[in-house]
């Protein structure tokens, strides 16, 4: 009998320009990708963690970084940050 695999889904609360939206992030999807897929107009430029335009403060939860780009651990570049666990919260306004 074949087994079914299900992707992990994390609820991500994104605060940007004073508005909070909660989106679902699929397994291995960055926070930036999840927000853009949900139609949120998020700040970003390079998409590879170099420029820092997509930086946000990690308010709740944990992330795995696709590339170690340095900086304070509570500030994440959302183009490189994959949410871990059931809930993550980031605030673009708090950087």
């Amino acid at each position: 009998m074949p087994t079914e695999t299900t992707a992990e889904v994390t609820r991500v609360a994104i605060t940007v320009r004073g508005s909070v939206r909660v989106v679902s992030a699929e397994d291995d999807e960055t926070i930036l990708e999840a927000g853009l897929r949900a139609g949120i107009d998020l700040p970003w430029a390079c998409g590879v963690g170099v420029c820092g335009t997509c930086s946000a403060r990690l308010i709740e939860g944990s992330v795995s970084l696709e590339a170690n780009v340095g900086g304070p651990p509570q500030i994440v570049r959302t183009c490189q940050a994959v949410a871990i666990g059931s809930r993550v919260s980031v605030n673009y306004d708090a950087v």
Side-chain angles (χ1 to χ4, degrees), residues 40-84:
I40 304 172
D41 182 22
L42 296 174
W44 71 283
C46 74
V48 294
V50 175
C51 72
T53 303
C54 67
S55 293
R57 182 172 298 277
L58 182 63
I59 304 298
E60 176 186 356
S62 299
V63 297
S64 171
L65 299 175
E66 291 182 349
N68 185 0
V69 292
Q74 70 275 19
I75 304 299
V76 296
R77 295 191 184 166
T78 59
C79 70
Q80 299 298 304
V82 175
I84 298 173

Side-chain angles (χ1 to χ4, degrees), residues 5-67:
T5 58
T6 57
E8 296 270 335
V9 176
T10 301
R11 305 300 287 172
V12 181
I14 298 173
T15 302
V16 63
R17 291 181 286 290
S19 179
V20 180
R21 294 259 316 263
V22 178
V23 302
S24 296
E26 307 267 331
D27 194 26
D28 293 330
E29 181 177 41
T30 67
I31 292 171
L32 177 65
E33 291 167 338
L36 293 174
R37 182 176 45 76
I40 304 172
D41 182 22
L42 296 174
W44 71 283
C46 74
V48 294
V50 175
C51 72
T53 303
C54 67
S55 293
R57 182 172 298 277
L58 182 63
I59 304 298
E60 176 186 356
S62 299
V63 297
S64 171
L65 299 175
E66 291 182 349

